[in-house]
Amino acid sequence: MAVGCSAALFSQSAPDGGSDNDEKQYCNPVINYSLPDPTVIKGEDGYFYLYATEDIKNVPIHRSKDLVNWDFVGTAFSKTTRPTFEPKGGIWAPDINKIGNRYVLYYSMSVWGGEWTCGVGVAVANQPEGPFIDHGKMFRSNEIKIQNCIDPFYIEDNGKKYLFWGSFHGIYGTELTEDGLALKKDAPILQIAGNAYEGTYIHKRDGYYYLFASIGSCCEGLKSTYTTVVGRSENLFGPYVDKSGRPMLENNHEILIGKNDAFVGNGHNSEIVSDKNGADWVFYHAVSTANPSGRVLMLDRVYWQDGWPYVQGSTPSLKADKPEF
């Protein structure tokens, strides 16, 4: 079982004097090894399934009943079934969805610095733990003339299916075919945010679309400046703005999760998950200042005030009440 509640973290994160063994609380990180760019879905079996950027395990899959205690259950691909359209590329920033009766996994494939040869592919499975069958490349940067096409995100809206993507050269989106496996022919590709962002996630709530993204450097250890930000719009394709009405197309936003003494490089958030009480929760990755060797899995509650999301203190929690299921 993968749980990151170290005694050191508990000792520095219990200002209320609570017991380290309080079963109603958890501490960050919830998984204390590297699981960057998380994406999560609830399966028909009642488990939550979480996927992350590839390491040596060909896109690791974990599952949990409570969002806090996780077990490793396998990988999306094997050495023989993993995608190959970028032969030396890694599989980055997956995005899991249920489309019809199938689980559909969008993924980026790139080598570091390969901003014109990278692209987005798609794989499908009959159950969330796989095995996933690769359907190959959907598009490449050099084919659609948009640099650094990684970090896909899928959303359904008003009966149509859409894919958004992008990394520090604009965030873009377009409509998909009905099965979700290809770009819809002749559908326009539209830019919705500026060149400060990557790691797109769009959440619809109370008549607004909230564009969550990450700014800064993701992968420089303790020097990482990754920060989770957000803007909102009344329409899926924008304009997205900050609280002052300034557009994300001009790189304006609100900060959701910044750094603190324990965690830096906090970004690339997952989908928002609601517990039985309607509380919203989000995963993201961070670099632990105590052990900066990877990007560990974090969990925090998302609160809402005056139509805007926030995380308490705008930084990662060290210890907090658990979700309730």
Side-chain angles (χ1 to χ4, degrees), residues 109-130:
M109 199 166 196
S110 182
V111 296
W112 194 260
E115 293 190 354
W116 285 109
T117 58
C118 63
V120 172
V122 62
V124 301
N126 292 325
Q127 54 277 326
E129 64 269 35

Side-chain angles (χ1 to χ4, degrees), residues 63-322:
R63 74 178 182 182
S64 171
K65 280 290 184 78
D66 62 4
L67 303 184
V68 172
N69 299 287
W70 292 90
D71 292 308
F72 173 73
V73 296
T75 59
F77 306 105
S78 68
K79 290 182 178 179
T80 58
T81 64
R82 69 186 304 278
T84 59
F85 73 79
E86 180 66 82
K88 296 182 180 180
I91 305 171
W92 301 347
D95 178 60
I96 187 65
N97 302 274
K98 183 80 176 294
I99 302 178
N101 294 321
R102 300 190 296 184
Y103 291 88
V104 179
L105 187 73
Y106 300 96
Y107 60 85
S108 320
M109 199 166 196
S110 182
V111 296
W112 194 260
E115 293 190 354
W116 285 109
T117 58
C118 63
V120 172
V122 62
V124 301
N126 292 325
Q127 54 277 326
E129 64 269 35
F132 282 84
I133 306 301
D134 184 38
H135 282 236
K137 178 190 68 175
M138 297 177 71
F139 58 91
R140 252 185 157 134
S141 283
N142 55 10
E143 295 171 351
I144 63 171
K145 307 297 189 293
I146 297 173
Q147 192 172 351
N148 216 19
C149 290
I150 60 172
D151 295 359
F153 166 71
Y154 169 88
I155 187 171
E156 295 185 20
D157 189 54
N158 294 323
K160 296 182 178 180
K161 300 173 173 64
Y162 299 93
L163 192 74
F164 292 83
W165 68 88
S167 174
F168 302 129
H169 294 277
I171 302 300
Y172 294 84
T174 193
E175 189 176 348
L176 298 178
T177 54
E178 181 60 27
D179 61 7
L181 301 183
L183 304 187
K184 186 176 180 180
K185 186 178 180 181
D186 298 327
I189 296 175
L190 302 175
Q191 185 175 355
I192 65 167
N195 61 8
Y197 310 109
E198 67 174 7
T200 305
Y201 166 60
I202 299 173
H203 180 71
K204 189 175 182 180
R205 184 180 190 271
D206 294 341
Y208 284 100
Y209 298 84
Y210 294 85
L211 172 55
F212 295 80
S214 298
I215 61 171
S217 60
C218 69
C219 310
E220 298 180 353
L222 293 177
K223 297 181 180 179
S224 299
T225 60
Y226 229 32
T227 301
T228 310
V229 300
V230 65
R232 76 178 189 184
S233 172
E234 294 179 351
N235 300 287
L236 178 61
F237 280 85
Y240 288 90
V241 298
D242 67 5
K243 289 181 180 179
S244 299
R246 299 175 300 175
M248 291 186 79
L249 277 168
E250 298 176 6
N251 299 327
N252 298 291
H253 49 257
E254 301 296 327
I255 292 177
L256 186 75
I257 310 172
K259 68 178 181 179
N260 58 23
D261 290 342
F263 299 103
V264 301
N266 304 296
H268 204 118
N269 62 280
S270 73
E271 300 83 353
I272 287 175
V273 176
S274 298
D275 67 16
K276 73 175 185 179
N277 296 323
D280 289 334
W281 300 85
V282 69
F283 293 98
Y284 56 99
H285 70 241
V287 177
S288 168
T289 58
N291 181 19
S293 60
R295 292 175 285 167
V296 293
L297 183 70
M298 308 288 287
L299 174 68
D300 266 302
R301 183 172 174 181
V302 176
Y303 296 85
W304 299 87
Q305 184 176 30
D306 298 327
W308 285 91
Y310 71 96
V311 167
Q312 285 191 340
S314 300
T315 63
S317 64
L318 302 185
K319 187 178 182 181
D321 291 338
K322 289 181 179 180

